[in-house]
Amino acid sequence: MSYNLLKGKKGIIFGALDENSIAWKTAERIHEEGGTFVLTNAPVAMRLGQIKDLAEKTGSQIIPADATSEEDLANLVTQSMEILGGKIDFVLHAIGMSINVRKGRSYTDEKYDFTTKGWDVSALSFHKVLQSLYKADAMKEWGSIVALTYMAAQRVFPDYNDMADNKAYLESVARSFGYFFGKEKNVRVNTISQSPTPTTAGQGVKGFGGFISYAEKMSPLGNATALECADYTVTLFSDLTKKVTMQNLFHDGGFSNTGVSQEVIERFTEE
């Protein structure tokens, strides 16, 4: 069902890889709610994904950009405003990558070149995106910027590896830059801490199936799906949440506030 929540709003969506990705689902929902946008991803990710199919479906243009490159981001912001015909109402940062995870290196045996690259892609890139938008004065007043995170930023999930550190940094950037964007430009910046979701990136984490099963048993409402996260993101891009900023918003079926569930107790008391 569409409510026209984003009618006339324009934005940029980072990280739509394939139909399993939250960014992809969010793009579809934004389109249904009347919003228009530019799609962007790193050239290597674009070769691996199906972003062209999404662009055709939503009538969007694609601008390749490496989110770790200040030059690429400056070009992206300029081109996006030209294509969309003015300042930007919303931005979704849905980027995450750990080479240590991909290479099977444990948290106690990181290769720091891998760590640095993963931090740049997953976390520092958010600061670079925000700074590029800020310096170009590209955001419309009462615009909204959202990045996706995970609760491993606050609690230990051993196999989430250095991505936990990356997400903690990402959330801090949202708070710190959110202050300046709010005070000086009336723009809000938030992160969404989503349930474990079987995206292409998520499934690269060791034991990810266990993550999902455990969270499902712990969450009173069950795990939130990618589509449900897209719906929540739409509300944060709408005018209904104008005073929500600098927040890490848990969208996880109640997992983050549940100490233990009856299902988990029963699982460990079975004879």
Side-chain angles (χ1 to χ4, degrees), residues 226-263:
L227 179 57
E228 287 166 337
C229 186
D231 286 336
Y232 189 44
T233 306
V234 164
T235 69
L236 291 174
F237 288 161
S238 78
D239 290 336
L240 300 177
T241 52
K242 278 187 172 181
K243 294 298 175 72
V244 180
T245 195
M246 299 164 63
Q247 302 299 310
N248 180 46
L249 301 161
F250 290 98
H251 185 252
D252 60 6
F255 178 86
S256 51
N257 273 333
T258 303
V260 70
S261 68
Q262 191 61 39
E263 290 87 346

Side-chain angles (χ1 to χ4, degrees), residues 119-175:
W119 166 72
D120 197 9
V121 171
S122 306
L124 188 61
S125 67
F126 189 43
H127 191 285
K128 292 177 181 178
V129 168
L130 291 167
Q131 185 166 287
S132 298
L133 293 164
Y134 185 87
K135 286 186 172 181
D137 194 24
M139 294 298 297
K140 194 177 291 185
E141 189 175 28
W142 302 113
S144 175
I145 303 167
V146 170
L148 301 182
T149 185
Y150 182 55
M151 203 179 71
Q154 287 85 34
R155 300 187 190 176
V156 176
F157 291 80
D159 291 328
Y160 203 64
N161 211 305
D162 58 335
M163 278 302 298
D165 301 334
N166 294 338
K167 293 301 189 185
Y169 188 95
L170 178 88
E171 292 174 16
S172 180
V173 167
R175 288 188 295 271

Side-chain angles (χ1 to χ4, degrees), residues 66-68 93-103 110-126 128 160-170:
D66 178 351
T68 67
H93 179 284
I95 307 169
M97 182 273 294
S98 167
I99 303 176
N100 281 308
V101 169
R102 288 183 181 179
K103 299 291 186 181
E110 289 187 14
K111 184 175 180 181
Y112 294 120
D113 286 349
F114 293 169
T115 306
T116 302
K117 181 62 177 175
W119 166 72
D120 197 9
V121 171
S122 306
L124 188 61
S125 67
F126 189 43
K128 292 177 181 178
Y160 203 64
N161 211 305
D162 58 335
M163 278 302 298
D165 301 334
N166 294 338
K167 293 301 189 185
Y169 188 95
L170 178 88

